[in-house]
Amino acid sequence: EALREAGATVERALVVVDREEGGRENIEDAGVEMEALVTASELLADRD
């Protein structure tokens, strides 16, 4: 929102880790596409 208020056009967010705690839904509800490099589930799956 701060970027938009400053006049930026925000269409996509790139995040390193999607913690899968609802952030994706919040970002997408704001009209922004979110792309994660990895999810928490993927990181934890590698621990086996």
Side-chain angles (χ1 to χ4, degrees):
E1 289 304 316
L3 289 171
R4 286 180 171 160
E5 289 173 11
T9 300
V10 181
E11 297 177 352
R12 181 180 294 171
L14 176 63
V15 300
V16 176
V17 179
D18 177 354
R19 298 183 313 184
E20 302 172 299
E21 296 178 345
R24 176 181 293 275
E25 291 79 9
N26 292 335
I27 290 172
E28 291 178 349
D29 286 348
V32 177
E33 178 185 346
M34 187 181 118
E35 184 174 346
L37 297 179
V38 67
T39 65
S41 296
E42 292 169 336
L43 287 174
L44 294 173
D46 289 341
R47 298 177 85 184
D48 294 335

